[in-house]
Amino acid sequence: MRKIFLSIALTLAVSPSFAQWAGKEYVVEEDAQVLEKLDEWQDLKLGFFVHWGAYSVEGLCESWPVVSEDVEWLTPHENLKEFREHYFDLPKQFNPTKFDPAKWANLASDMGAKYFVFTTKHHDGFTMWDTKQTDYKITNPEYPYAHAKYADITGSLFDAMRKKDMMIGAYISKPDWHSPYYWSPSFESPGRNVNYKIERHPDWWKKYTDFFYNQVEELMTNYGDVDILWLDGAWADKANRGQDMGMDRVGAMCREKQPGIMVVDRWVGGRWENYRTPEQHIPAEAEAIPWETCMTVNCCFSYRFEESVETNVKEARDLTHKLIDIVSKGGNLLLNLGASPEGWFNKAEVEVVEDMGAWLKLNGKAIYSTRAVEPYAEANVRYTQSKDGKKVYAIVMLEEGEQPEKAMLSGCLVAKDAVITDVATGKQVTFSQQGNSTLVDMPKKKGTAQYAVAFEISKVEKMAGKSFGKSQAAIDADNRNL
């Protein structure tokens, strides 16, 4: 395998101390099925990400309140031991009686998402499928939701999303704070890491890695076609305290069970990080490797009760602009909503993603199945190109109430015999050449359509002063030869 060495600056929501995970090596995968899947995934552009678990009962910051770390985004508990006992009992209150996987799938489709990633298990170890490895699971007969129609939540969601032709991603945490072989009851648990010395207790660590392997194998075996294994908890890595999760073994099993599956051992680098996942952050420049930004609609990944998030929900215009910016740089957006204890989402968050979806329904041709093209961005304009490299899309992002008469495409010289159309309507628009730039007449828009105006340009002579026309296949070939 050829290797690309990159210094990736990641902004990580969970801890600024994770700067140590930046600058990891990226290995260009040579498995033809994986490369084909990666190419298809890069066509999709928008994913629907959901954090959901027993922590949503109290609107907690996912699993993190059980960790004793002095970080600014956690409120410490005076009696952490007592709180942990309370926390790990939350599944006894978790009864999402309003959960309807078909309704979730409809929302994903309405927002314009093309793939779905679900937290099958977060760091607290509570498993949202019918695992045979632990009783700490949604289908435990002692828990109230165990006998519901959709008790195997992961399976019901994956089935519903496939009916909408979604790619399926299984998020699972590598660390498991409920497992006695990760957090041994023999010792205190001062932080997120394994709480014993692995070299002194190799039998415990083997039991833990076998447990993890077996849970992943269940997901790969019993839940239909899975396209992405999305791994979280980068600190569970052999480079940190010897926490070797046996990723070669895990990855090989996944590829045997699910040929072509993309494995995302995020922030770790190497063979099993098929694409990069900056968190709550959009890179300043286009990246040469596959990547997605995972980002929340409000301030947090997990559910927050309505009154605490209303002022933090991103506006639909802002989300749309973020998506456009990400796509222009060659990335995907994995957009997260946290589900409520009842099994739905905050009204304000649903409204903004549906509004973004309304814009995509009209302008998706400039987003889906496109690739990056220099100069990517200039002022309020973003560029994309068709995969065959024959057409360019210029997307003019507008602020509320903004209705300019014309837009200057400073990085794009349109051929005199070209045709420019408004993507949303298919109507031809008038343009003129201005030196090495193009001046385009702007159509008037209202409502969600006014977030941005996308133009399809049939023929371009120059982009940012360079001759245009190199196909994506040629660009990909160049990248593989780096």
Side-chain angles (χ1 to χ4, degrees):
M1 293 183 180
R2 301 181 182 92
K3 299 180 180 181
I4 298 175
F5 295 88
L6 298 172
S7 178
I8 306 295
L10 302 182
T11 300
L12 306 176
V14 294
S15 174
S17 66
F18 277 7
Q20 62 183 346
W21 298 110
K24 295 294 182 178
E25 126 187 302
Y26 179 77
V27 177
V28 179
E29 181 62 60
E30 291 187 346
D31 183 311
Q33 289 177 294
V34 179
L35 289 173
E36 182 179 358
K37 183 87 71 174
L38 270 169
D39 184 63
E40 180 185 353
W41 171 80
Q42 287 179 292
D43 290 346
L44 305 182
K45 303 307 179 189
L46 179 63
F48 182 32
F49 196 16
V50 178
H51 277 64
W52 198 30
Y55 46 77
S56 64
V57 169
E58 295 186 352
L60 299 172
C61 181
E62 304 98 51
S63 312
W64 289 101
V66 302
V67 174
S68 53
E69 291 186 0
D70 188 13
V71 290
E72 61 184 12
W73 45 273
L74 278 179
T75 301
H77 293 270
E78 292 183 4
N79 189 330
L80 185 56
K81 182 177 180 180
E82 183 179 297
F83 174 78
R84 281 179 179 160
E85 292 175 358
H86 165 75
Y87 180 95
F88 286 123
D89 272 345
L90 286 176
K92 295 177 181 178
Q93 303 176 50
F94 188 48
N95 191 23
T97 55
K98 296 181 181 178
F99 172 57
D100 182 346
K103 192 175 178 182
W104 283 38
N106 288 336
L107 176 61
S109 180
D110 289 345
M111 69 186 278
K114 302 297 183 182
Y115 64 105
F116 174 67
V117 179
F118 179 62
T119 51
T120 67
K121 186 184 78 168
H122 206 263
H123 313 320
D124 61 7
F126 183 61
T127 304
M128 299 287 277
W129 79 89
D130 188 27
T131 182
K132 301 301 184 287
Q133 310 306 315
T134 178
D135 290 332
Y136 198 57
K137 60 181 180 178
I138 188 68
T139 54
N140 184 329
E142 296 183 4
Y143 297 155
Y145 199 65
H147 304 289
K149 180 179 180 181
Y150 303 118
D152 192 327
I153 286 173
T154 294
S156 64
L157 279 171
F158 286 180
D159 288 344
M161 294 296 173
R162 286 192 196 98
K163 290 178 182 178
K164 295 291 185 179
D165 296 322
M166 301 273 172
M167 258 194 190
I168 300 299
Y171 167 115
I172 186 171
S173 169
K174 293 190 295 182
D176 183 323
W177 298 330
H178 188 266
S179 170
Y181 300 113
Y182 194 84
W183 273 3
S184 169
S186 300
F187 305 100
E188 291 296 320
S189 304
R192 70 191 70 192
N193 289 285
V194 62
N195 70 339
Y196 58 86
K197 293 181 179 180
I198 293 173
E199 63 271 20
R200 293 187 62 191
H201 304 280
D203 53 332
W204 294 357
W205 187 248
K206 185 179 186 307
K207 287 180 180 179
Y208 181 68
T209 55
D210 285 347
F211 165 76
F212 173 74
Y213 177 96
N214 292 337
Q215 283 206 315
V216 174
E217 186 176 39
E218 287 179 345
L219 291 171
M220 298 297 105
T221 305
N222 303 326
Y223 289 87
D225 292 338
V226 179
D227 303 286
I228 306 164
L229 178 65
W230 210 94
L231 299 170
D232 204 6
W235 58 91
D237 179 65
K238 60 185 177 182
N240 181 35
R241 304 190 186 189
Q243 297 180 76
D244 187 346
M245 297 297 296
M247 278 306 303
D248 284 343
R249 178 186 177 216
V250 172
M253 176 269 292
C254 290
R255 293 276 164 82
E256 180 182 352
K257 301 282 187 179
Q258 301 280 347
I261 190 172
M262 296 174 289
V263 180
V264 187
D265 192 7
R266 59 193 308 249
W267 311 339
V268 172
R271 180 184 179 188
W272 301 110
E273 191 176 22
N274 292 147
Y275 62 81
R276 290 281 158 87
T277 58
E279 185 170 309
Q280 302 281 45
H281 165 71
I282 301 173
E285 302 292 338
E287 299 290 349
I289 63 176
W291 63 278
E292 75 180 0
T293 285
C294 56
M295 182 174 287
T296 57
V297 174
N298 64 47
C299 60
C300 318
F301 281 97
S302 56
Y303 178 79
R304 294 294 189 273
F305 291 99
E306 192 85 32
E307 62 273 11
S308 66
V309 299
E310 285 182 346
T311 58
N312 294 310
V313 175
K314 296 177 178 68
E315 294 182 356
R317 182 187 304 273
D318 180 40
L319 285 177
T320 304
H321 288 183
K322 282 179 165 57
L323 172 63
I324 294 167
D325 188 44
I326 288 167
V327 171
S328 74
K329 296 170 182 173
N332 285 11
L333 171 60
L334 182 59
L335 191 59
N336 181 89
L337 280 76
S340 75
E342 293 79 22
W344 191 231
F345 306 95
N346 280 320
K347 179 181 177 182
E349 296 175 55
V350 170
E351 288 176 352
V352 297
V353 298
E354 288 180 335
D355 284 350
M356 181 184 66
W359 183 88
L360 274 168
K361 188 174 182 179
L362 295 175
N363 298 280
K365 190 176 182 181
I367 299 295
Y368 302 119
S369 298
T370 62
R371 295 294 186 269
V373 58
E374 291 185 90
Y376 316 118
E378 55 179 25
N380 66 332
V381 181
R382 300 293 181 270
Y383 294 102
T384 63
Q385 67 173 322
S386 57
K387 282 179 71 174
D388 61 10
K390 293 180 179 179
K391 294 179 180 178
V392 167
Y393 299 94
I395 309 171
V396 183
M397 301 185 296
L398 301 173
E399 298 303 319
E400 185 173 358
E402 189 178 3
Q403 294 283 359
E405 296 290 331
K406 296 181 182 293
M408 177 65 78
L409 309 182
S410 299
C412 179
L413 179 61
V414 176
K416 291 181 179 179
D417 59 343
V419 173
I420 299 182
T421 56
D422 175 355
V423 171
T425 64
K427 294 181 179 179
Q428 192 169 330
V429 299
T430 303
F431 69 94
S432 61
Q433 291 181 331
Q434 301 285 319
N436 284 325
S437 303
T438 302
L439 195 63
V440 183
D441 288 354
M442 288 285 289
K444 302 299 181 184
K445 304 282 184 176
K446 295 180 180 180
T448 58
Q450 190 266 334
Y451 294 166
V453 179
F455 297 107
E456 180 183 276
I457 305 170
S458 67
K459 189 175 180 182
V460 171
E461 290 185 355
K462 292 182 179 180
M463 293 294 298
K466 300 177 182 178
S467 295
F468 176 75
K470 195 168 189 177
S471 71
Q472 184 61 35
I475 294 170
D476 289 344
D478 289 345
N479 287 339
R480 287 195 291 275
N481 288 321
L482 287 176

